[in-house]
Amino acid sequence: MTNALLGIIYLAFVSLGLPDGLLGAAWPAMHASVDANVSLAGVVSMVICLGTITSSLLTVQLVRKLGTGRLTAVSVALTAAALFGFSASGAFWQLILWAIPYGLGAGAVDAALNAYVATHFAARHINWLHCCWGLGAAGGPLIMSWQMGGSAGWPGGYRIVGILQVILVVAIALSLPLWHDRADAVDAGEKHAALSRRELLSLPGVKLAMAGFLCYCALESSCGLWASTFLVLGHGVSAQTAALLASLFYAGITVGRFLSGVLTLRLDGRQLLRLGETIMALGVVILFIFPEEVGLGAGLALLGLGCAPIYPQMIQLTPERFGDENAQSLMGIQMACAYVGSMAFPPLMGLLVEQVSPLLLPVAAATLLAIMTACLIRCDSRVMASHASAARQ
């Protein structure tokens, strides 16, 4: 039963990742179809993130009301409806309208499943869970590139991913009997969390961890959204080739998260964080110094490979840093903070791309990486000092 449930959870994360790379891959060709400026992709992304922030903060209540399985099925169904809406949109305001259910669907399932796996399964599973997300995130741009090369165009890419989401909804619905006992267990665990939100935020290292989530998601979402535009407008790559090269960013994340799951047998979470940060830095350097297509593809792939362990390890370290009893409540807060990064920075990056230069994308990635690394190192320092002080007492 446990293995079957894990399989369904992995499947749910494939569905969570599938739509994430579509907008960035399609936007160079899509913006003219909906009569929108290039920078307005950031506005669509911002509306999606507002929905995810809202549902992330409501995760605990939603899990108690629906159970994790039903919440997952409803969330995937919302994203499926939004994708079909995107495919039929002929104006920018319609994209904004359909971005609302997309965001609401993504946020709750993300926070609920991350908290559950982090507190109930070994560290390798959180990495493989996010590897499944990467499979979906890498597959989405490939599907979009395929459709953009034919007569269906970008709407066809959204329709195909929408159909895949519907199939996943059916699979999750059929699996609901497997979730019953597990949902009750999560619900029971949540009731032990006694700290208020203000008390949670006062725990040593929590605010620094939140800042790390914000910077990481700002970096990942900006690179995912603007990589194709960076390649097309900054380096003269064709839109179809740019979509393929941009998918290497998500492919790097996918491969890296599988390898991270294996490396958890030898490295702890903090060591994996440092390794990922180093590889990310290498990817940024390559984007700066190798402007040819091969170099750009390699830089994006390495940047994704370095990103791979960051988010899963920050999640996996949450119970260790702050206690199992606080993990579910903190997960919702951390997810909301992560989505603030995903919401706030891509529109800013869009303005920089449009008004200054698309070549600023690697500069922004380097800046966010430096701030994130400093925050996470300081967070671990404060948490370890707090644990040592508690042990002495």
Side-chain angles (χ1 to χ4, degrees):
M1 294 289 283
T2 298
N3 289 337
L5 183 56
L6 263 176
I8 295 298
I9 293 173
Y10 287 160
L11 190 65
F13 258 71
V14 172
S15 77
L16 193 64
L18 271 172
D20 282 3
L22 292 179
L23 183 62
W27 194 249
M30 184 179 177
H31 72 90
S33 301
V34 295
D35 193 26
N37 293 334
V38 171
S39 63
L40 290 179
V43 177
V44 180
S45 176
M46 182 174 66
V47 174
I48 291 171
C49 289
L50 282 171
T52 56
I53 291 168
T54 301
S55 55
S56 292
L57 292 173
L58 295 173
T59 297
V60 172
Q61 295 93 320
L62 290 171
V63 170
R64 288 175 179 169
K65 183 177 289 291
L66 298 176
T68 306
R70 288 186 180 85
L71 177 59
T72 302
V74 170
S75 297
V76 178
L78 278 175
T79 60
L83 290 169
F84 286 118
F86 270 48
S87 73
S89 295
F92 181 73
W93 69 266
Q94 293 170 335
L95 295 181
I96 296 298
L97 178 66
W98 288 109
I100 296 171
Y102 173 86
L104 291 173
V109 67
D110 195 6
L113 293 183
N114 273 307
Y116 184 73
V117 175
T119 54
H120 290 80
F121 293 97
R124 63 183 181 275
H125 290 295
I126 199 75
N127 285 282
W128 291 338
L129 183 72
H130 286 268
C131 177
C132 289
W133 173 87
L135 285 173
L142 289 175
I143 291 171
M144 183 60 71
S145 176
W146 164 47
Q147 289 295 294
M148 286 171 66
S151 60
W154 64 264
Y158 276 105
R159 279 194 297 270
I160 288 178
V161 176
I163 291 168
L164 292 175
Q165 296 284 84
V166 171
I167 294 171
L168 291 169
V169 171
V170 173
I172 294 168
L174 292 174
S175 75
L176 287 179
L178 298 177
W179 295 82
H180 181 70
D181 293 336
R182 295 287 185 166
D184 289 345
V186 174
D187 187 52
E190 287 163 356
K191 292 177 182 177
H192 292 294
L195 298 182
S196 67
R197 187 165 294 174
R198 178 176 295 181
E199 290 170 327
L200 288 169
L201 293 175
S202 70
L203 292 173
V206 163
K207 292 178 182 177
L208 288 164
M210 291 168 62
F213 271 96
L214 187 150
C215 288
Y216 173 77
C217 287
L219 189 158
E220 182 191 287
S221 60
S222 295
C223 289
L225 182 61
W226 294 110
S228 288
T229 305
F230 162 71
L231 295 171
V232 173
L233 299 184
H235 292 283
V237 178
S238 71
Q240 187 176 1
T241 301
L244 285 170
L245 292 178
S247 73
L248 294 176
F249 174 69
Y250 290 112
I253 292 177
T254 304
V255 172
R257 284 179 177 164
F258 175 79
L259 294 176
S260 296
V262 177
L263 287 174
T264 56
L265 301 175
R266 290 185 172 272
L267 303 177
D268 63 30
R270 292 172 179 83
Q271 290 171 324
L272 281 170
L273 284 177
R274 302 292 91 81
L275 177 62
E277 290 156 358
T278 301
I279 296 173
M280 288 172 72
L282 178 60
V284 170
V285 169
I286 290 175
L287 289 176
F288 275 120
I289 63 178
F290 292 106
E292 299 82 10
E293 287 185 9
V294 172
L296 294 169
L300 288 170
L302 281 172
L303 185 57
L305 187 67
C307 284
I310 305 297
Y311 194 72
Q313 292 312 308
M314 288 195 293
I315 290 169
Q316 187 67 39
L317 285 168
T318 297
E320 179 184 331
R321 284 169 170 163
F322 309 117
D324 287 347
E325 69 279 7
N326 299 317
Q328 178 70 79
S329 296
L330 272 176
M331 202 66 72
I333 295 172
Q334 289 179 150
M335 294 296 100
C337 195
Y339 288 125
V340 168
S342 298
M343 175 186 69
F345 205 81
L348 175 60
M349 192 68 239
L351 289 175
L352 292 174
V353 164
E354 186 174 62
Q355 302 298 326
V356 185
S357 170
L359 295 175
L360 286 177
L361 183 64
V363 178
T367 303
L368 290 167
L369 173 60
I371 297 171
M372 179 193 75
T373 301
C375 286
L376 294 181
I377 290 173
R378 180 60 179 158
C379 172
D380 286 331
S381 175
R382 292 198 63 186
V383 168
M384 287 188 283
S386 174
H387 288 176
S389 176
R392 286 194 299 269
Q393 294 175 0

